[in-house]
Amino acid sequence: MSTSTIADDRIRHVAIDAEYLTVELMDGRRVGTPLAWYPRLAAATPPQLNDGEIISAGRGLHWEQLDEDLSVEGMLRACPAAGYPSASTRQP
């Protein structure tokens, strides 16, 4: 007999370091994306980064001072912010 668990992709915890934005989801998964994907966050000061909040019942992140919103769905789909160079236009 097999058991299945239902994915719960709501955010439980957020961590940001010099290179990555990492979210821990309610179901235990961790999703890390390069901070460089989000130019506003990459250019922000530590106090500005710490001012973010979990929104939309855990399905997104918002930084009022930086006018930045991210969704778990976008992170899971590996979608950088608008304006970040696509894979086809980035230099090796």
Side-chain angles (χ1 to χ4, degrees), residues 13-17 20-24 30-33 61 75:
H13 178 74
V14 180
I16 303 173
D17 63 29
Y20 287 93
L21 168 67
T22 304
V23 294
E24 180 182 343
R30 285 195 178 136
V31 179
T33 53
L61 299 168
M75 295 175 80

Side-chain angles (χ1 to χ4, degrees), residues 7-11 23 25 27 29-33 37-38 59 70-80:
D8 187 348
D9 60 2
R10 293 173 299 140
I11 299 168
V23 294
L25 304 178
D27 61 14
R29 289 178 290 166
R30 285 195 178 136
V31 179
T33 53
W37 281 10
Y38 317 111
R59 305 223 185 267
L70 303 176
S71 70
V72 171
E73 181 179 358
M75 295 175 80
L76 289 170
R77 291 182 180 208
C79 296

Side-chain angles (χ1 to χ4, degrees), residues 33-41 68-70 74 78-86:
T33 53
L35 201 58
W37 281 10
Y38 317 111
R40 290 179 186 162
L41 298 182
E68 185 72 66
D69 294 288
L70 303 176
C79 296
Y84 183 80
S86 69

